[in-house]
Amino acid sequence: MKVSPDGQPTAEVIARVKDIPIYRDALARGHFPVLEKAEIARGFPDNWMTPALATALESGEAEFVLSTGTNHARMQLIRPPYFLLRSYYRLWSEHPDLRETWEADCRRVSLTTVLATEHVARVNARKRGEEPPPEPRVEDRRLDARTSYLNLRLDPALWERADVERMLAEIEAARQTHPRGWYHLDCSGYHLAHLLQKIHTWGLWDAFSPPASIIHAYEYTPVNVRRYLQQHFACPIIDLFGSTELGYLFYSDRRGRYHPFLDEMGVELAPVAEGSGLFHLIVTSLRNPHMPLVRYRSGDCARTSDGTPDPAKITQFCGREKELLDSPAGPVSQGDLDALVGSVSPRVFVHQLRVLSPAEAVLAYTTFDGKPLASPQVAALGHGVRELTGRRCVLDHRDHIPIGKSGKYAWLAPDGK
């Protein structure tokens, strides 16, 4: 679906949203402004309610859910059951590098945040009219006949040997259901890298059979983490970009180049700041029939190959708008710092910037081998952070950087941490 040059909705879009209360003023004025998350929440759900939606909620064709907030407030939404899963499955079935494993009907095991696992356990318990168990069994963690979730701990860096052995046994059980020994691994890139680290530490390689395909789609995957995964796996490793409310919008190929997946969607790129080359994503989507979004600011930022606002030229999804860091040279994104770190050393695993003042910062980091960077790399990275952010920077090598409460890493450290 294309958007008009000025971003205003087409007749097709207007016909689909004309009865929804939140759009009444825009329809009356003949102009649709950018739709912010705060507007979606204001008056919810009455601002979305139509007779058709009320009927869908009563019949179970629509349901209330919460967006998967990383470091910010979660947003209440209305969508069809399994909306995001269906978007995932369709993309998996159509992706040129992944289609074979979909068509082979192999199992999907998901290694990601404990919050995702707990969500599946709650849904299954609700179907039984029960409360979810404190430590969900493998049958409690099956999303459907094809997909099960593995992780039961918040911080993957703190997995114990028993955790890893259990997950490897569940992976092996999924693999053995397939005549060719195939399984598809769905993951957070960080979680999979931590699993490989633990396997190496405890010498468990004989218990781990590599997957036939990998998708990482849960959070920003740093350059070095992707590089590390590519060193360990020969199968396609694919990134998906999307959100709870939108489904998936772009996918990478096995070389890391992004391609649009915009069925019933259109995307605008709006500059974050003049001359920064950093863009907001503004999305018009009819994919969710119960909550169509017109000129919705997703909160995500991207860069393009030539600095122009052409969605077809996106080369990097570089983090969240609310997590941009001000600097004398303009806003700095998670992806900007990550690109710098990856250019200095492939050994850096997790990194996190703590801003002490407008003039000073500390870059905490861990490495894949547990050893600190050599002095030339420390100097180069400190200088690079100063050039990027306008702040003097010292490096702080650590054995462990805690993960956030969401089960995802924040690139900017919380105050005082």
Side-chain angles (χ1 to χ4, degrees):
M1 182 180 76
K2 293 187 179 295
V3 295
S4 60
D6 62 355
Q8 292 301 299
T10 61
E12 174 194 8
V13 174
I14 290 173
R16 293 276 290 273
V17 306
K18 62 183 176 60
D19 297 323
I20 301 175
I22 197 171
Y23 296 121
R24 282 176 184 159
D25 288 346
L27 286 162
R29 291 194 305 267
H31 177 82
F32 283 71
V34 171
L35 179 63
E36 306 288 353
K37 293 179 188 290
E39 286 300 310
I40 290 175
R42 188 174 293 121
F44 185 92
D46 292 344
N47 56 349
W48 293 93
M49 197 59 62
T50 64
L53 177 55
T55 299
L57 286 166
E58 187 175 349
S59 68
E61 293 178 13
E63 63 180 5
F64 291 100
V65 297
L66 290 172
S67 64
T68 52
T70 304
N71 302 296
H72 306 292
R74 301 173 79 188
M75 179 173 64
Q76 198 167 17
L77 307 165
I78 304 167
R79 68 179 193 186
Y82 302 110
F83 173 74
L84 192 58
L85 180 69
R86 288 183 178 129
S87 179
Y88 182 107
Y89 278 178
R90 180 177 171 189
L91 215 162
W92 180 10
S93 70
E94 296 177 4
H95 192 289
D97 294 316
L98 300 175
R99 187 184 302 122
E100 185 179 13
T101 57
W102 169 267
E103 293 174 349
D105 199 31
C106 62
R107 292 284 183 91
R108 170 184 175 235
V109 293
S110 187
L111 179 66
T112 179
T113 69
V114 71
L115 274 71
T117 304
E118 290 171 348
H119 171 73
V120 173
R122 279 195 304 272
V123 169
N124 288 332
R126 195 181 306 132
K127 291 176 183 176
R128 302 190 300 266
E130 302 172 359
E131 290 296 316
E135 185 112 332
R137 302 157 298 177
V138 63
E139 53 267 30
D140 298 318
R141 295 182 268 111
R142 288 200 178 100
L143 181 61
D144 59 15
R146 193 156 187 171
T147 296
S148 60
Y149 283 68
L150 298 174
N151 183 28
L152 294 175
R153 303 284 176 258
L154 176 63
D155 192 336
L158 302 181
W159 282 332
E160 297 180 354
R161 181 167 183 148
D163 298 313
V164 174
E165 289 178 339
R166 174 192 56 79
M167 290 189 287
L168 293 180
E170 291 179 14
I171 289 172
E172 181 61 17
R175 189 189 72 82
Q176 289 184 359
T177 64
H178 194 270
R180 299 174 67 178
W182 283 7
Y183 71 94
H184 171 73
L185 183 58
D186 167 71
C187 67
S188 149
Y190 278 118
H191 283 69
L192 181 52
H194 277 296
L195 182 67
L196 294 174
Q197 292 267 286
K198 300 292 187 181
I199 289 172
H200 176 74
T201 298
W202 292 315
L204 298 173
W205 291 111
D206 289 346
F208 178 57
S209 298
S213 58
I214 295 171
I215 285 177
H216 56 84
Y218 284 85
E219 61 182 314
Y220 181 91
T221 299
V223 171
N224 283 347
V225 171
R226 180 173 176 83
R227 194 180 281 154
Y228 182 74
L229 299 182
Q230 289 172 328
Q231 290 170 355
H232 285 83
F233 297 106
C235 70
I237 303 173
I238 303 302
D239 183 30
L240 305 185
F241 171 79
S243 67
T244 310
E245 63 271 27
L246 292 167
Y248 294 103
L249 288 78
F250 291 83
Y251 64 84
S252 76
D253 56 31
R254 64 193 306 162
R255 297 173 185 83
R257 295 174 300 197
Y258 285 100
H259 305 270
F261 185 70
L262 297 175
D263 178 50
E264 294 193 289
M265 286 186 176
V267 173
E268 305 168 58
L269 296 184
V272 170
E274 191 65 35
S276 70
L278 195 62
F279 296 97
H280 302 292
L281 265 71
I282 298 173
V283 183
T284 294
S285 174
L286 301 179
R287 193 179 290 175
N288 176 356
H290 307 304
M291 201 169 169
L293 297 168
V294 181
R295 304 198 72 210
Y296 165 66
R297 191 193 304 273
S298 73
D300 301 291
C301 297
R303 290 193 182 276
T304 60
S305 59
D306 59 0
T308 63
D310 183 351
K313 295 180 179 179
I314 288 175
T315 56
Q316 183 191 48
F317 296 97
C318 46
R320 304 287 293 169
E321 177 186 352
K322 286 189 175 181
E323 295 171 6
L324 294 176
L325 176 65
D326 289 333
S327 83
V332 177
S333 73
Q334 178 178 6
D336 299 332
L337 178 62
D338 180 49
L340 168 65
V341 171
S343 70
V344 171
S345 173
R347 291 175 47 227
V348 175
F349 184 6
V350 181
H351 59 269
Q352 192 174 73
L353 187 70
R354 182 158 65 98
V355 176
L356 303 179
S357 73
E360 294 182 291
V362 175
L363 182 67
Y365 72 97
T366 69
T367 55
F368 291 106
D369 59 12
K371 300 174 183 178
L373 297 178
S375 295
Q377 293 171 316
V378 169
L381 199 45
H383 175 75
V385 172
R386 182 169 185 169
E387 290 289 305
L388 184 66
T389 70
R391 293 166 173 86
R392 294 186 300 274
C393 181
V394 297
L395 269 65
D396 176 19
H397 175 253
R398 298 186 185 178
D399 294 326
H400 176 233
I401 294 176
I403 206 163
K405 292 180 181 179
S406 65
K408 299 180 181 181
Y409 286 104
W411 78 281
L412 291 174
D415 292 342
K417 300 291 184 179

